[in-house]
Amino acid sequence: MALSIAHKKGTISESKFRSLLIELNSIPEKVEQLLASDIQVKHISSIFKDATNFLYLGRGYNFPVALEGALKLKEISYIHAEGYPAAEMKHGPIALIDANMPVVVIATKKGNYEKVVSNIEEVKARNGKIIAIITEGDVDVKAIADYVIEIPEVEDLFSPLLTSIPLQLLSYHIAVMRGCNVDQPRNLAKSVTVE
């Protein structure tokens, strides 16, 4: 809908509009491909299931995904987790990073890639454990991260559709391994109430 409105308003060209439509139509196939990596996500979950804190970092379109990833981990596994804009990591969270703090970084090739790589290097300099969501075939982040989960390449605009999936799976597997009831998280209202 927003894509169509942008096209009608003339804020994107006809060729860009067609390219984005083709990309959008390929998302279901890419989601299926991504779900095939669930075994890898489960393995990573088994390593970090006993962590007491997590930090999630994202930039641009993936900052809200970092917030959502942290929220889901808190809600269903009862592990303290914070989502933070990677650009502001130096303003607080960096003081908490050590060898016991898993840091989940959304580091896709599009957008602010070089800046995210710089954030990863800062975390590594403090012995933080990096779980990176990367674009398939990215050898640069793979070389410095402790664990990577690859997603198919996608336009930056659509990356949250894919980057959110491994974060949801990570939360799910960690919660199950900790013996948490993922269908009925404690203290969460599952319905809208009116006062």
Side-chain angles (χ1 to χ4, degrees):
M1 180 69 141
L3 189 58
S4 181
I5 292 169
H7 180 249
K8 286 180 183 176
K9 287 184 175 181
T11 56
I12 60 173
S13 68
E14 181 71 26
S15 62
K16 182 65 173 176
F17 178 72
R18 290 187 188 283
S19 171
L20 290 173
L21 278 180
I22 291 167
E23 182 75 27
L24 187 59
N25 287 329
S26 74
I27 294 292
E29 179 185 317
K30 290 178 178 182
V31 167
E32 290 297 318
Q33 181 183 339
L34 184 54
L35 288 173
S37 68
D38 185 48
I39 293 170
Q40 179 188 13
V41 177
K42 192 172 185 178
H43 171 70
I44 295 168
S45 300
S46 70
I47 294 166
F48 295 104
K49 67 181 174 54
D50 296 321
T52 55
N53 296 289
F54 269 77
L55 179 62
Y56 286 70
L57 299 174
R59 283 180 179 257
Y61 293 115
N62 284 305
F63 167 54
V65 176
L67 291 174
E68 179 65 16
L71 178 65
K72 284 299 166 231
L73 188 67
K74 277 189 274 199
E75 285 180 340
I76 65 173
S77 73
Y78 319 128
I79 295 173
H80 176 258
E82 293 297 325
Y84 219 79
E88 297 179 20
M89 180 182 76
K90 290 182 182 180
H91 304 291
I94 200 163
L96 302 173
I97 296 171
D98 61 18
N100 298 314
M101 164 96 54
V103 180
V104 179
V105 183
I106 303 164
T108 54
K109 275 280 196 183
K110 306 279 178 154
N112 300 297
Y113 179 74
E114 292 80 16
K115 292 178 180 178
V116 173
V117 171
S118 176
N119 293 131
I120 291 171
E121 289 168 344
E122 290 181 57
V123 171
K124 289 302 291 180
R126 286 151 183 86
N127 298 315
K129 299 297 180 205
I130 298 284
I131 302 166
I133 310 300
I134 65 170
T135 304
E136 200 170 44
D138 179 351
V139 294
D140 297 326
V141 173
K142 190 179 258 187
I144 56 176
D146 297 286
Y147 304 92
V148 296
I149 301 165
E150 293 184 280
I151 65 163
E153 186 168 353
V154 67
E155 285 283 340
D156 197 31
L157 174 67
F158 301 128
S159 66
L161 296 173
L162 297 184
T163 56
S164 61
I165 294 170
L167 300 185
Q168 297 283 330
L169 290 171
L170 186 72
S171 296
Y172 170 79
H173 288 305
I174 288 174
V176 169
M177 289 173 188
R178 290 169 63 92
C180 301
N181 184 341
V182 295
D183 294 320
Q184 293 185 320
R186 68 180 182 214
N187 303 328
L188 289 183
K190 286 292 195 172
S191 62
V192 177
T193 57
V194 179
E195 292 185 22

